[in-house]
Amino acid sequence: MPKFAANLTMLFTELPFMERFAAAKAAGFDAVEVLFPYDCSATDMRYQLVMNDLTLVLINTPPPNFTGGPRGFAAVPGLEERFRRDFERVLRYADVLKPRGVHIMSGAAEGAEARATFIENLTWAAARAPRLTLTIEPINRIDMPGYFLDDFDLAAEVLDAVAAPNLHLQIDMYHAHRITGDALGVWARHGHRAAHIQIGGLPDRHEPLASPHLDYPAFFKRLDAEGYSGFVSGEYTPAGRTEDGLGWLKG
């Protein structure tokens, strides 16, 4: 079976945030991710990670106020200084939290200038943090209108243009389905670039179970057969209590 992680921003929301670490460990997870940890004490989070013997596999670049706010700035022309200032903030949190990776959000933008800005900012970030694994993730524009990085072929072009050894693709199978209607086809074409995978049920983004759109147990076996060594994170909205829907952990 792959190495699974729990997204503590979306799972175990029945509990206060700081209690979710222990709940994830009790449920069988050895790793977690957090979308935007910046409104919490990094020291307190690190304490929870250590006390529960958990690996933090991923955090996102700011903004901290995600709900209703901008979805990043990395591809937004004219906001290069804002992006770099926010990235430095990420590095300060990363120094304490020790995440394995950081997902850089492109933000809402369009066109060739945005593409060039994205490549420039990613090149700078990869050089600024050479020992940190960085990822970019295509996100569908139905859930996130106007988001620049909404295409996997575009992501591949950007990765090739930056050509940094610490910059990789992040594939969310839910977004892959929403963007293309063929999540497995996305994996077949682009999976070799992936350093991190996120999963959610199709098409409703509940528990990642077998469905006509994607047989998750079979996908997990495929990852094992192909030698995928990264983490697979449950990033979904539970249909009920989180603990009641964790049967997918057993494949």
Side-chain angles (χ1 to χ4, degrees), residues 37 62 120 132 178:
E120 178 185 351
L132 191 61
R178 296 281 276 187

Side-chain angles (χ1 to χ4, degrees), residues 9-42:
T9 303
M10 299 180 69
L11 303 186
F12 302 102
T13 56
E14 306 89 348
L15 299 170
F17 177 72
M18 288 296 176
E19 295 180 19
R20 298 176 196 173
F21 296 85
K25 185 66 176 183
F29 291 100
D30 292 320
V32 296
E33 65 178 25
V34 178
L35 294 182
F36 301 104
Y38 310 104
D39 291 333
C40 298
S41 163

